[in-house]
């Protein structure tokens, strides 16, 4: 059930974003668009409530519950950036706005380093949710699966840190100009 809820919330997240952008650009209704875009964080709250209700109702934690915590952490930490990216793409396509520049070299490395704190925030949020669920349920047997997600969160942060380091050492090069 929780896996279906995660999928539904992910679909709902992108439906809210697309509907917000369509309202903003296709129908020239910026306030409606903003309201629909604000629905995205509410979807995270719904997922959190579903996970808590499932566990408090006697459910045993599975990897789905840990995935829900990770999804919420990423959505909160990266959600604004994902929405801004989609908004810029739609503005470029339908309003003739300048496309965002493609980053190379030091600028790309700096962008990678800016992601490290976001990833730390996403992992911290996921860890807080996992810890809160463990404490809320108060049954080590039923929540044992959630403990396995803490090393995964550390691995995610480590990979993002290595990504930033690698592009600092070996900068991303611009493609060669076609001759």
């Amino acid at each position: 059930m929780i896996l279906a809820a995660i999928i539904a919330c992910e679909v709902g997240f992108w439906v809210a974003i697309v509907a917000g952008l369509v309202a903003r650009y296709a129908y020239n209704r910026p306030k409606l668009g903003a309201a629909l875009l604000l629905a995205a964080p509410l979807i995270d709250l719904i997922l959190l409530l579903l996970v808590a209700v499932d566990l408090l109702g006697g459910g045993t934690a599975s990897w789905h519950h840990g995935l829900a915590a990770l999804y919420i952490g990423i959505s909160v930490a990266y959600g604004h950036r994902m929405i801004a990216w989609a908004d810029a793409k739609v503005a470029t396509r339908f309003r003739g706005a300048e496309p965002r520049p493609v980053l190379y070299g030091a600028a790309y490395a700096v962008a990678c380093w800016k992601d490290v704190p976001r990833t730390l925030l996403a992992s911290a949020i996921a860890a807080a949710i996992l810890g809160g669920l463990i404490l809320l349920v108060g049954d080590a047997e039923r929540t044992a699966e959630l403990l396995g997600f803490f090393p995964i969160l550390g691995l995610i942060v480590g990979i993002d840190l290595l990504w930033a380091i690698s592009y600092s050492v070996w900068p991303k090069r611009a493609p060669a100009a076609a001759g």
Side-chain angles (χ1 to χ4, degrees):
M1 177 187 112
I2 292 302
L3 185 58
I6 294 169
I7 293 168
C9 287
E10 177 69 11
V11 169
F13 176 85
W14 285 106
V15 166
I17 290 172
V18 169
L21 295 174
V22 167
R24 179 181 288 177
Y25 293 104
Y27 296 109
N28 203 24
R29 304 273 315 268
K31 288 183 183 178
L32 176 61
L36 290 167
L37 291 173
L38 286 174
L42 295 175
I43 293 167
D44 294 337
L45 182 60
I46 291 168
L47 180 59
L48 182 58
L49 290 173
L50 290 172
V51 168
V53 165
D54 183 51
L55 291 176
L56 289 173
T60 299
S62 68
W63 68 272
H64 304 131
H65 295 85
L67 181 62
L70 180 59
Y71 166 79
I72 292 168
I74 290 170
S75 181
V76 170
Y78 281 92
H80 183 269
R81 182 172 160 201
M82 288 187 281
I83 291 170
W85 171 84
D87 188 49
K89 289 287 187 185
V90 173
T92 299
R93 173 74 170 92
F94 294 105
R95 293 276 167 94
E98 285 293 317
R100 288 182 168 189
V102 178
L103 302 177
Y104 300 102
Y108 186 78
V110 167
C112 291
W113 280 106
K114 287 180 180 179
D115 281 346
V116 172
R118 283 187 193 100
T119 302
L120 278 168
L121 177 62
S123 294
I125 291 168
I129 291 170
L130 292 169
L133 289 170
I134 291 168
L135 290 174
L136 188 64
V137 172
D139 184 344
E141 227 175 89
R142 286 185 28 232
T143 58
E145 186 77 22
L146 299 180
L147 292 174
F149 263 83
F150 289 102
I152 293 170
L153 297 175
L155 181 64
I156 290 169
V157 170
I159 289 170
D160 198 39
L161 187 59
L162 285 174
W163 186 270
I165 291 169
S166 71
Y167 279 107
S168 296
V169 175
W170 300 285
K172 182 179 179 181
R173 293 189 177 144

